[in-house]
Amino acid sequence: MKKLGVLTSGGDAPGMNTAIRAIVKAADYYGVDVMGIRCGFQGLIDRKIHPLTSQEVEDIADKGGTILKTSRSTEFLEETGKKKALEVLRDFDINSLVVIGGDGSLKGAEKLHDRGINVIGIPGTIDNDLVFTDYSIGFDTTLNTVLECIGKIKDTDSSHDKTTIVEVMGRYCGDLALYSALAGGGEIISTPEKPLDFHTICSQLRSRINRGKNDNLVIVTERMYDLQELQQHIEGKLDINVRTTVLGFVQRGGNPSAFDRVLASKMGVYAVDMLMGGYSGVAVGVKENKIIHQKLGNLNDMKADKQEKYSLLEKLLN
Ligand code: F6P
């Protein structure tokens, strides 16, 4: 390996810094120089590249966000953008790259692998929408943040006998909503994988109210509903007051949880080991508690079976 480049791309996720630290430390162990690429693929095109030393990453394992900064580059999606990126990598003598990010970022990583760069992807996204891996870096921290916020909403809901619709992130993946409910955070959940129509949400609420449960949480994944419309519909049908809370970007920040830090450290070291072993064009993941790798491409097949977790819900939320 000549020089190793590392970049973070797409939405930031807690634990990205821990992964950067692990990559730099592991590369240092092998005597390989690391170049930090700032602002994702756009920063690569714009030559925002500087050496990243072991000392610089010493104290970042517990910090949220990403010290390398990140972006969603539209220029890189174009052929001309990719050509520029390849020229820059050549100019800086970087022949190996670790890309930390979500689905779009790992697709970008694949494009560089196809063009001759040695690339390893690491899943870093709060959405947990990359089904080749049980967990992506950042998901656990965000889930804990969501649960903390929901707990606070529950306090005030129970004091006033109110119902609240809580919208969580996840893009097109319902894992944040699903796991929140599995962890006891909500009574009615609607996700892209198991969407509920207005009628079903109302009838589930009605049966809970009929049983004397007057404070209820409806957790929904973002992008599914016009929330105002849903709120007004419930209020009209059930004659109750409903509140709506969009958790928003509070979900993306914060210090990574212990789980995310350990996961990011394992994945970072594994990625460097893979490059040293001559691998390229794969993403690192975790399945049944074991670090694994999988060829880049088709990493977020949403049809993957989540039936088991949803059937657990049926027993928990009755
Ligand atoms: O992919 C992470 C995520 O936070 C999604 O949950 C959300 O839909 C999206 O990013 C928001 O993206 P942006 O930061 O570009 O508004």
Side-chain angles (χ1 to χ4, degrees):
M1 198 178 344
K2 290 190 208 164
K3 277 185 197 154
L4 168 64
V6 56
L7 64 82
T8 50
S9 165
D12 59 295
M16 280 183 162
N17 281 330
T18 327
I20 294 168
R21 169 181 169 271
I23 292 158
V24 175
K25 290 274 178 189
D28 195 34
Y29 172 87
Y30 287 115
V32 173
D33 289 337
V34 180
M35 303 299 279
I37 301 164
R38 285 161 64 92
C39 306
F41 291 110
Q42 192 57 47
L44 173 57
I45 293 169
D46 298 338
R47 298 173 179 263
K48 293 184 177 167
I49 300 176
H50 63 94
L52 198 55
T53 64
S54 211
Q55 287 93 311
E56 279 172 274
V57 299
E58 204 72 64
D59 296 319
I60 65 168
D62 62 335
K63 305 278 183 293
T66 159
I67 60 156
L68 287 177
K69 300 189 181 288
T70 182
S71 68
R72 300 188 194 276
S73 173
T74 45
E75 192 178 351
F76 185 75
L77 296 176
E78 307 297 325
E79 200 44 50
T80 48
K82 290 186 201 62
K83 261 182 85 180
K84 275 192 206 165
L86 284 171
E87 274 166 31
V88 176
L89 287 170
R90 207 171 33 241
D91 290 351
F92 279 83
D93 218 15
I94 299 171
N95 69 339
S96 303
L97 191 65
V98 179
V99 172
I100 309 166
D103 178 40
S105 310
L106 298 192
K107 285 200 175 103
E110 189 188 5
K111 302 287 178 233
L112 291 178
H113 162 76
D114 293 344
R115 288 162 177 76
I117 304 296
N118 301 319
V119 185
I120 305 289
I122 293 185
T125 166
I126 64 162
D127 299 334
N128 212 38
D129 56 350
L130 295 157
V131 295
F132 80 98
T133 182
D134 287 343
Y135 297 106
S136 55
I137 296 168
F139 174 69
D140 180 70
T141 307
T142 297
L143 177 61
N144 279 293
T145 302
V146 168
L147 286 169
E148 190 187 338
C149 294
I150 281 177
K152 291 178 178 174
I153 294 169
K154 276 174 164 245
D155 288 345
T156 166
D157 273 357
S158 75
S159 307
H160 289 267
D161 275 343
K162 295 262 186 196
T163 286
T164 297
I165 304 165
V166 179
E167 184 191 271
V168 300
M169 278 184 170
R171 201 173 280 266
Y172 304 108
C173 173
D175 276 18
L176 281 170
L178 168 65
Y179 280 72
S180 299
L182 286 175
E187 284 79 31
I188 294 168
I189 69 153
S190 183
T191 66
E193 295 86 352
K194 290 265 177 200
L196 303 182
D197 58 21
F198 283 13
H199 173 75
T200 310
I201 292 174
C202 284
S203 68
Q204 289 193 5
L205 274 171
R206 184 176 290 116
S207 81
R208 296 183 66 80
I209 291 165
N210 288 346
R211 278 185 278 141
K213 180 80 167 101
N214 292 318
D215 60 299
N216 293 292
L217 265 187
V218 182
I219 307 179
V220 303
T221 303
E222 62 179 340
R223 300 169 198 239
M224 292 183 68
Y225 304 104
D226 176 329
L227 293 176
Q228 205 184 354
E229 202 189 324
L230 176 59
Q231 174 174 341
Q232 282 167 0
H233 185 88
I234 299 171
E235 286 179 333
K237 287 279 174 212
L238 301 184
D239 195 24
I240 55 171
N241 281 324
V242 178
R243 295 157 163 168
T244 296
T245 300
V246 177
L247 294 187
F249 285 93
V250 71
Q251 294 165 97
R252 273 218 320 236
N255 298 347
S257 64
F259 180 89
D260 274 332
R261 289 190 217 177
V262 172
L263 182 66
S265 298
K266 284 184 181 173
M267 286 183 169
V269 172
Y270 191 93
V272 175
D273 282 346
M274 296 284 294
L275 285 168
M276 294 305 294
Y279 285 86
S280 175
V282 297
V284 180
V286 60
K287 274 277 169 200
E288 290 165 7
N289 238 353
K290 276 202 166 55
I291 300 294
I292 51 112
H293 58 272
Q294 163 134 346
K295 209 166 154 316
L296 289 168
N298 256 344
L299 296 174
N300 79 333
D301 176 8
M302 291 311 233
K303 288 191 287 297
D305 192 18
K306 293 196 179 160
Q307 200 48 47
E308 191 190 323
K309 290 190 188 93
Y310 279 96
S311 67
L312 256 177
L313 269 191
E314 276 166 34
K315 290 165 196 149
L316 287 169
L317 301 187
N318 57 20

